[in-house]
Amino acid sequence: MENLNFHSRQAEIFEQLARQYQHLDGELYHYFYCLYQYHQQQIDYLESQSL
């Protein structure tokens, strides 16, 4: 559960950063979006393991 909370918070932060840089800096947008996707994948994995 601890990891799920961590990854949820990180995904939220990186999603906000990606949105912030979406129209300003393509490279930073891509970097933050990749981090967001990584944490989303971790959330999906952890949720599938808890079933």
Side-chain angles (χ1 to χ4, degrees):
M1 192 59 147
E2 216 173 273
N3 285 336
L4 186 58
N5 290 337
F6 169 76
H7 288 295
S8 295
R9 182 67 182 131
Q10 292 299 304
E12 185 180 309
I13 290 168
F14 289 122
E15 181 183 22
Q16 289 174 358
L17 286 168
R19 288 175 191 260
Q20 183 178 345
Y21 285 97
Q22 187 171 8
H23 300 292
L24 301 175
D25 186 324
E27 192 172 322
L28 276 175
Y29 165 74
H30 181 71
Y31 176 75
F32 289 132
Y33 188 74
C34 287
L35 287 170
Y36 162 72
Q37 286 182 315
Y38 166 76
H39 288 289
Q40 278 299 124
Q41 289 171 350
Q42 295 302 306
I43 291 167
D44 292 345
Y45 173 75
L46 291 169
E47 287 178 341
S48 73
Q49 294 300 307
S50 68
L51 294 178

